[in-house]
Amino acid sequence: MTAGQIRPIANSVRSGAARAVDVLNGYLARIDAREAEINAFNLVLHDEARERAEVIDAEVAAGRDPGVLAGVPIALKDNMCTRGVPTTCSSKILQDWRPPYDATVVQRLAAAGAVIVGKTNLDEFAMGSSTENSAFGPTRNPLDVTRVPGGSSGGSAAAVAAGFAAGSLGSDTGGSIRQPAALCGVVGVKPTYGTVSRLGLVAFASSLDQIGPFTTDVADAALLLEAIAGHDPGDSTSIPKPFPSLEPSLTRGVEGLRIGRITDLPGGADADVQARVDAAFDALAAAGATIVDVTIPAFTYGLTAYYLIAPAEASSNLARYDGVRYGMRVAAADTNAMYSATRSAGFGPEVRRRIMLGTYALSAGYYDAYYGKALKVRRLMAHDFDAAYADVDVVLTPASPSVAFPFGSKTSDPLAMYLCDTYTIPSNLTGHPAMSVPFGTGADGLPVGVQVLAPALGEATMFAVAAELERAAGAAQ
Amino acid sequence: MSAAPWMHEGFEMVVGLEVHVELATATKLFSGSPNRFGDEPNTNIDPVTLGLPGALPVLNRQAVELAMRIGLALGCTVQECVFARKNYFYPDMPKAYQISQYDRPLNVDGRLDLPDGSSVGVERAHLEEDTGKSTHIGGSGRIHGSEGSLIDFNRAGVPLVEIVSRPDISSPDQARLYAAELRAILVAVGASDARMEEGSMRVDANVSVRRPGEPLGTRCEIKNVNSVRSLGRAIDYEARRQVALITAGESIRQETRHWDEADGRTHTLRTKEDADDYRYFPEPDLVPVCPDAAWIDAVRASLPPLPAQRRQQLAEATGQAIDGEAVMTIVERGQDAYVHAVIAAGGAGERAVIHVKEAFAEAGIDPALPAATLASLIAMETGGQLTATQAKTVLADLIAQPNGDPVAIAAERGFEAMASDELEAMVDAAIAADPDAWEKFCAGEGKAMGALVGHVMKASRGQADGKVVTALLQARRPT
Amino acid sequence: MSDRITSEVVAKVARLSRLDLDDAELAAATAQLGDMLDHFADIDALDLSSVEPMTQPFALVNVMRDDVEQPTLDRDEVLLAAPDPVDGRFGVPPILGIEP
Ligand SMILES: [Mg+2]
Ligand SMILES: [Zn+2]
């Protein structure tokens, strides 16, 4: 599925050429047919979505414009708060929790006329790269159900790839949008940190988390991102600037742009993946861009910095799940015992592992050696990219070292799973934008995603390059 | 004159105080729920207060300004600061971390000068959020032996400033002076109502003892001190307890102790064996606060005169001692501006300060009586038309009817001033009636004057002004 | 990063995290954390002495709001999600030995 869906739907619903209810029914029919196999959702909102679609149709009938996403079925990663609707983070500890408020992105989707079709599955608390860490069972890759969809936003990626939604939102802390987008053959964007409000996104690692879109094409990604981006006074780290229109980027081309090739990029990408990235450089050069070699010496240390910083923040962010105010409680004789019983039963193994790793990295006597050092490596990473961006406009890398892998192939070795994030992590550390664009196929005909990285607030250039790659990939077919 | 040094069996005490004060903002430190005491449980709550998943803090500007006022009033350097998470589990701490400040606090390196002439260093005064409140049910009502606890999060997230003194305090009296002076400053700058009984000002004391010249001893932290008076008692008790242990050859265990007002002792709350490991790290959900010079100057310019300066001004205007009870009390009550107004309206300062201190203790800190009226009353008194006792009576009437006229009230009460020739005759009669006393008075025996004044008072049925009589007697004494 | 992490340290970390580990879990966690930390020793080779730590992607400062009341949450709605609501408050079992 490469043709965009969001624009055509919104255009026809706004013009009255199509009814939102009929559009929705088409998506719900695909969900009903295949969700049992894919398990993209923790919750499908059949009734709520229909009611919402009817409201959109009524607005159009009354001569009002419901907005740029009028009638567009959107799936939400189940770590974004939806008022009165369960928000579980695919964790037993939040299994029955219904937030008393909506995330900012949920409010913005509503204001733009979108229809929320359901809450998608994820690695518990967004910790993982395969969606195998969900307390509610793994999501299967719609392109090959014996393989993972990637993670942690595997449900959101699979939902778009399977045609369960025209677009979806995920969150990306170390690659959790870009890697599953690559593995499912869809577009996935991690915007500049501070572009999309985190208010109502259940925190994993606060200084790294960003919400972004999954779509079937680059133009749809631009539209969905524009709808959710922009300053939110409820998020102190939100950038106090209007988000620019990405429309001009879609047709700009890459004439005169300088595309960076990192010569000291850590190895580990499979040959089939590397071949597609090489082809991407060639395609961009053919379209008028210049390929420039750059070095990012700190790139190779990104994994270590990330796997100290993210668990450290997570260990603190997840301490609130204590059985006192909401969520699961396991009864015990005293409060301390209740805490441990609840948290041990409520969290899965990967979450427990990262909480312990993060607690250790912050604890007395180890802070300087681990967390403190990781923060310095983070600074080096930012310096190295700043230096590179003096010479180039964007940088290209693989989004994932491999195509979609079979279930269970990395679950016994946490480190092997962590290596999935090698190429995506640096952008979270720097806060810079990055996106994955499908660019042909690799082993077993499975999709390969090329990652486009840009400097802070460099979304316009990033989308111009992504759009060019999309055109080149389409032309090659 | 500074507070008497505390010494016990050759040991001195070393005390530092940590004062938590709730700021007088309309809303919480990081959310828009009301900062209000005494509401129904769990009504002032929002996602941030409850630590709900996805909630994010946004800093209250007014809390920062009030914290800056405190810092500037204490002579601190106000600096760029960052918030940090202090991680620990406790049911009244909703996120299982407190947002506080750690290695970059807002205010550092200040000093508090005390009325006794001593001064105590202020290490830091930082911003942080308050916790909720636990009520222990069943059992004794205390933590130990309770059946469980109920949590109210109304107080969670209320802005606090924690003011940490240096260990410069060496006696219970000095600790009391510090707490009282700090409280006066907090109230004066409008940062807090600073009520220890209501918990809007909470004082913890770090107490250790040593022989003079020796290095610092192991300290214990004393919590649950609910008044300035108990603070002195608790410190005194704790220091004696430590001296007793050391002289008995035992060692002090570093621990947190709880002051029990009822039995006048401190008790072990918990030991620090399982050392606290709060895993402080910079709060990623908030950005640094960088007060620039313009902001700091504006806050400094808005500060009212502080208690020390006001005491000085009041002492100068009234001729009272700067650390005398009248000056201390009136500044503490915030009635010094009123005294200055009475003086400006022509009232003698020395009488104004006494009347205000005595008559307005219960009438509120802001006397409703026009300053000019009190000034007229004082003029009648100093002019000899009213005795001190009569003036007091008229003032009591005026407090009940602030629009009253002191001349009319004095007339109603029959407080006619005695004609001066009539009084002179009475003085002469008294001398004639008690030549023995007169002789002694002339010889310089002060006590004898009382008898002579007594004769005049009796003859005038209390209408005579004792001070005028004294003056007449003095004038008659041969030089 | 010197010595390999011990099970005593892992046990302390689990305690601080309020996670229960039985003996087998403790042994497994010690081995796993040890392997990870070995891998993370790559940054020991870097000279970071003159590098400032970076805690956030962007250097925003002075983000503040006005001191104005906002709507509060409905207590009943919130307590509906609570494991043990009692008289408008959140019930917990006895609090023992964890005074902050
Ligand atoms: Mg499902
Ligand atoms: Zn404190």
Side-chain angles (χ1 to χ4, degrees):
Chain A
M1 204 170 308
T2 51
Q5 300 170 45
I6 295 179
R7 272 166 203 257
I9 293 169
N11 287 342
S12 45
V13 169
R14 290 167 102 178
S15 68
R19 294 196 320 143
V21 168
D22 296 331
V23 171
L24 175 68
N25 284 337
Y27 284 89
L28 290 178
R30 280 191 291 275
I31 292 173
D32 292 343
R34 249 195 123 189
E35 165 63 6
E37 179 188 25
I38 304 298
N39 195 29
F41 289 99
N42 288 336
L43 180 65
V44 177
L45 297 166
H46 285 97
D47 298 339
E48 294 88 340
R50 281 211 179 86
E51 280 168 30
R52 173 78 180 139
E54 282 163 10
V55 169
I56 300 291
D57 287 332
E59 284 201 28
V60 173
R64 288 190 295 270
D65 180 4
V68 295
L69 299 178
V72 176
I74 299 287
L76 278 182
K77 189 176 184 180
D78 199 18
N79 61 353
M80 298 176 205
C81 289
T82 40
R83 181 166 187 162
V85 173
T87 300
T88 70
C89 297
S90 290
S91 180
K92 280 194 276 184
I93 214 159
L94 277 180
Q95 187 153 9
D96 299 313
W97 185 60
R98 292 164 194 264
Y101 74 110
D102 276 326
T104 298
V105 289
V106 173
Q107 292 178 10
R108 295 207 172 167
L109 287 176
V115 174
I116 309 295
V117 291
K119 306 289 295 281
T120 61
N121 198 7
L122 62 148
D123 285 299
E124 184 178 4
F125 283 103
M127 296 179 187
S129 305
S130 67
T131 317
E132 290 167 289
N133 296 332
S134 167
F136 312 133
T139 295
R140 291 177 193 84
N141 191 319
L143 306 177
D144 177 347
V145 293
T146 67
R147 295 174 189 252
V148 303
S152 66
S153 311
S156 286
V160 172
F164 295 168
S168 64
L169 296 187
S171 63
D172 188 315
T173 306
S176 283
I177 291 174
R178 292 159 287 161
Q179 184 256 14
L183 270 49
C184 290
V186 298
V187 176
V189 186
K190 183 204 89 77
T192 301
Y193 183 87
T195 293
V196 180
S197 172
R198 292 183 297 116
L199 179 55
L201 169 68
V202 181
F204 162 13
S206 311
S207 78
L208 303 162
D209 297 338
Q210 264 296 284
I211 292 174
F214 288 96
T215 56
T216 54
D217 78 357
V218 173
D220 275 1
L223 187 64
L224 186 49
L225 177 55
E226 284 174 24
I228 59 171
H231 182 237
D232 177 10
D235 173 355
S236 303
T237 61
S238 171
I239 295 171
K241 275 186 194 171
F243 189 72
S245 167
L246 297 173
E247 189 74 33
S249 302
L250 303 176
T251 50
R252 181 207 179 278
V254 293
E255 186 73 47
L257 290 183
R258 300 159 303 165
I259 315 292
R261 185 205 313 262
I262 301 175
T263 54
D264 51 357
L265 191 71
D270 291 347
D272 58 329
V273 170
Q274 191 55 52
R276 296 309 303 155
V277 176
D278 293 342
F281 279 111
D282 293 345
L284 294 174
T290 312
I291 312 303
V292 179
D293 284 348
V294 294
T295 61
I296 310 281
F299 205 116
T300 189
Y301 303 106
L303 195 86
T304 292
Y306 175 84
Y307 275 98
L308 293 170
I309 293 169
E313 293 185 14
S315 71
S316 176
N317 283 329
L318 272 63
R320 70 188 60 198
Y321 306 104
D322 59 5
V324 174
R325 297 164 312 285
Y326 48 78
M328 177 176 163
R329 173 187 293 189
V330 175
D334 64 74
T335 297
N336 232 352
M338 183 275 282
Y339 287 155
S340 300
T342 299
R343 293 166 58 78
S344 300
F347 291 134
E350 181 62 25
V351 172
R352 292 202 301 267
R353 186 154 45 234
R354 294 204 200 183
I355 288 174
M356 286 196 286
L357 176 57
T359 301
Y360 176 68
L362 287 174
S363 64
Y366 304 103
Y367 180 102
D368 290 338
Y370 293 104
Y371 179 74
K373 235 182 224 175
L375 293 182
K376 292 182 169 190
V377 175
R378 188 175 190 179
R379 175 78 62 196
L380 287 186
M381 185 75 78
H383 278 156
D384 287 355
F385 270 99
D386 286 348
Y389 286 129
D391 299 327
V392 298
D393 298 296
V394 300
V395 167
L396 242 54
T397 74
S400 160
S402 72
V403 297
F405 46 91
F407 286 101
S409 58
K410 297 181 199 285
T411 41
S412 59
D413 180 4
L415 268 170
M417 190 71 88
Y418 296 174
L419 286 167
C420 294
D421 305 331
T422 301
Y423 302 119
T424 47
I425 275 170
S427 310
N428 299 87
L429 292 171
T430 59
H432 297 172
M435 64 193 287
S436 176
V437 192
F439 197 73
T441 55
D444 303 313
L446 289 163
V448 170
V450 168
Q451 182 179 220
V452 186
L453 297 87
L457 302 174
E459 272 86 354
T461 315
M462 180 175 82
F463 269 81
V465 173
E468 191 62 47
L469 287 174
E470 185 177 68
R471 277 189 291 274
Q477 280 185 348
Chain B
M1 34 151 195
S2 53
W6 186 97
M7 286 293 285
H8 183 62
E9 310 221 344
F11 286 83
E12 62 183 13
M13 64 164 66
V14 178
V15 176
L17 297 179
E18 288 176 18
V19 176
H20 285 85
V21 60
E22 287 181 356
L23 298 181
T25 54
T27 66
K28 296 189 177 183
L29 185 53
F30 299 118
S31 73
S33 283
N35 167 14
R36 205 157 49 216
F37 181 76
D39 285 356
E40 276 287 294
N42 291 307
T43 49
N44 299 332
I45 54 170
D46 57 77
V48 173
T49 297
L50 290 173
L52 295 188
L56 291 176
V58 185
L59 180 61
N60 182 339
R61 182 186 291 102
Q62 176 68 7
V64 178
E65 293 223 1
L66 292 180
M68 282 167 65
R69 291 171 82 86
I70 293 172
L72 292 171
L74 296 174
C76 291
T77 302
V78 178
Q79 62 175 17
E80 176 180 336
C81 61
V82 299
F83 288 93
R85 292 187 184 177
K86 178 183 183 180
N87 295 283
Y88 67 90
F89 285 88
Y90 199 77
D92 65 17
M93 174 56 69
K95 305 176 296 298
Y97 57 82
Q98 179 192 32
I99 304 178
S100 181
Q101 298 188 315
Y102 185 51
D103 51 358
R104 294 290 295 171
L106 176 64
N107 304 298
V108 293
D109 288 335
R111 200 184 71 184
L112 183 51
D113 294 325
L114 302 184
D116 70 353
S118 69
S119 77
V120 174
V122 171
E123 188 181 307
R124 55 191 282 153
H126 68 255
L127 264 170
E128 62 185 25
E129 57 181 340
D130 209 344
T131 62
K133 265 188 164 165
S134 326
T135 307
H136 309 295
I137 49 171
S140 63
R142 293 253 310 278
I143 289 175
H144 297 282
S146 78
E147 287 162 15
S149 297
L150 301 178
I151 322 289
D152 168 15
F153 290 105
N154 280 352
R155 197 183 66 179
V158 162
L160 294 176
V161 167
E162 179 179 337
I163 302 149
V164 182
S165 88
R166 296 197 186 279
D168 293 348
I169 295 169
S170 56
S171 75
D173 284 341
Q174 197 186 11
R176 279 198 297 256
L177 276 182
Y178 175 89
E181 186 67 3
L182 180 57
R183 187 182 179 281
I185 290 172
L186 294 169
V187 171
V189 302
S192 175
D193 60 11
R195 296 202 178 110
M196 282 186 79
E197 325 72 54
E198 284 182 12
S200 60
M201 173 167 157
R202 306 194 280 271
V203 182
D204 302 331
N206 286 304
V207 180
S208 65
V209 298
R210 65 173 171 193
R211 290 195 175 83
E214 287 188 349
L216 288 173
T218 303
R219 63 183 192 167
C220 292
E221 187 179 10
I222 316 300
K223 289 186 174 288
N224 192 44
V225 181
N226 294 323
S227 69
V228 171
R229 200 179 86 87
S230 325
L231 176 63
R233 290 177 67 205
I235 289 171
D236 184 62
Y237 173 86
E238 176 60 19
R240 285 170 193 274
R241 185 189 71 87
Q242 293 183 13
V243 170
L245 278 175
I246 294 171
T247 52
E250 293 176 49
S251 60
I252 311 294
R253 230 175 6 162
Q254 186 175 346
E255 60 188 5
T256 302
R257 298 180 67 84
H258 181 273
W259 167 250
D260 189 330
E261 187 68 47
D263 68 3
R265 293 158 182 262
T266 62
H267 302 274
T268 299
L269 198 56
R270 63 181 168 132
T271 61
K272 301 239 172 188
E273 279 159 12
D274 198 12
D276 298 311
D277 191 345
Y278 293 124
R279 289 154 286 135
Y280 282 99
F281 73 102
E283 165 59 278
D285 288 329
L286 292 165
V287 303
V289 177
C290 302
D292 59 13
W295 189 12
I296 294 171
D297 289 346
V299 174
R300 196 194 309 273
S302 73
L303 284 182
L306 297 178
Q309 187 190 346
R310 284 161 50 193
R311 284 195 296 267
Q312 170 92 38
Q313 287 166 348
L314 188 63
E316 278 167 15
T318 62
Q320 306 282 310
I322 188 164
D323 60 347
E325 200 199 338
V327 167
M328 295 291 292
T329 306
I330 282 178
V331 169
E332 195 190 317
R333 286 195 211 139
Q335 294 169 327
D336 45 324
Y338 181 75
V339 172
H340 288 295
V342 173
I343 294 169
E350 139 205 22
R351 294 306 303 157
V353 85
I354 301 301
H355 281 308
V356 171
K357 173 179 159 263
E358 286 171 3
F360 293 103
E362 308 212 332
I365 62 155
D366 197 9
L369 185 67
T373 307
L374 180 53
S376 327
L377 176 66
I378 290 171
M380 290 167 70
E381 188 186 357
T382 51
Q385 291 107 295
L386 288 176
T387 66
T389 315
Q390 289 169 340
K392 239 171 144 174
T393 307
V394 174
L395 180 53
D397 290 347
L398 284 168
I399 287 170
Q401 37 168 326
N403 293 324
D405 171 17
V407 175
I409 292 174
E412 262 167 52
R413 288 242 171 213
F415 294 161
E416 302 293 342
M418 304 210 53
S420 64
D421 52 347
E422 202 181 334
L423 191 59
E424 304 241 7
M426 283 182 185
V427 170
D428 291 336
I431 292 171
D434 195 346
D436 190 37
W438 174 245
E439 209 160 294
K440 285 180 180 162
F441 173 69
C442 292
E445 266 187 58
K447 275 191 290 182
M449 187 170 70
L452 296 167
V453 173
H455 283 294
V456 177
M457 285 305 193
K458 200 174 166 192
S460 70
R461 290 192 305 279
Q463 296 279 307
D465 184 329
K467 268 195 286 181
V468 179
V469 174
T470 306
L472 291 173
L473 284 167
Q474 297 281 15
R476 278 162 173 69
R477 185 164 65 176
T479 44
Chain C
M1 278 167 231
S2 59
D3 304 331
R4 204 170 156 91
I5 190 168
T6 63
S7 58
E8 287 73 30
V9 172
V10 176
K12 185 199 163 199
V13 163
R15 228 177 15 252
L16 281 172
S17 311
R18 298 299 187 276
L19 293 170
D20 289 329
L21 295 181
D22 63 26
D23 289 348
E25 287 167 331
L26 179 61
T30 305
Q32 236 163 22
L33 283 174
D35 288 350
M36 284 181 202
L37 294 170
D38 285 348
H39 192 269
F40 299 159
D42 60 345
I43 61 173
D44 286 354
L46 295 169
D47 176 10
L48 300 167
S49 51
S50 59
V51 181
E52 276 295 300
M54 171 172 163
T55 56
Q56 284 174 315
F58 291 102
L60 296 177
V61 295
N62 294 342
V63 176
M64 288 174 279
R65 66 182 172 85
D66 293 336
D67 186 22
V68 176
E69 276 190 32
Q70 300 296 327
T72 54
L73 287 175
D74 179 65
R75 180 171 74 178
D76 295 336
E77 183 183 353
V78 166
L79 284 171
L80 218 55
D84 182 22
V86 183
D87 296 338
R89 288 177 289 179
F90 297 82
V92 292
I95 303 167
L96 297 176
I98 53 166
E99 190 70 20

